Amino acid sequence: MSTTSFLPRWNLEDLFASPTDPAIEEAFARAAEATRTLVTRFKGKLSSVQADGILDLLKQYENALQTITKPATYASLRHATDTRDAEREGFQRRMRERAVSIERDLLWIELELAQLPEAKLKTLLTAPEIAPYKHV
């Protein structure tokens, strides 16, 4: 029995049609644009932002992370179906590097939230609209 018969098989077309699907580039472009918007609107300003603004920040942050995770997940699952295929491995590496690059550009969000004064954090954490993001 061939070892390839034990490899997982998934229909990945729900994620992307192929590694050359233009939707992959579109996802990275959307995430990069969302990152630029977040930097412009919020970077260095979180101490003065109220709960509704923090909610907006967190929703956009979550959306950007989900957007870049999709191509990386697609590449990882695709690679898992044939780990000996160098093209799949290279594609997975490139998708992960691109995702990490955008994640790195968003790192300031968690750092700035962690640096907020304790009184501000307590106020934010008790705001009902922030409850779904309390873990952040």
Side-chain angles (χ1 to χ4, degrees), residues 90-128:
F91 179 72
Q92 178 188 18
R93 186 184 69 256
R94 287 189 307 278
M95 294 300 101
R96 186 69 199 131
E97 286 170 355
R98 291 181 74 184
V100 166
S101 175
I102 293 173
E103 288 171 355
R104 188 176 35 246
D105 292 343
L106 293 167
L107 185 60
W108 63 271
I109 294 171
E110 291 187 32
L111 295 173
E112 283 194 31
L113 286 171
Q115 293 175 355
L116 289 176
E118 192 169 328
K120 172 94 176 181
L121 279 174
K122 284 183 180 180
T123 300
L124 290 172
L125 292 175
T126 59

Side-chain angles (χ1 to χ4, degrees), residues 10 17-18 32 36-39 45 48-49 72 78 90 105 110 117 133-134:
W10 295 290
S18 74
R36 287 189 293 275
T37 299
L38 286 167
V39 167
K45 305 169 190 169
S48 64
V49 176
R78 186 174 170 270
D105 292 343
E110 291 187 32
Y133 296 95
K134 196 173 185 177

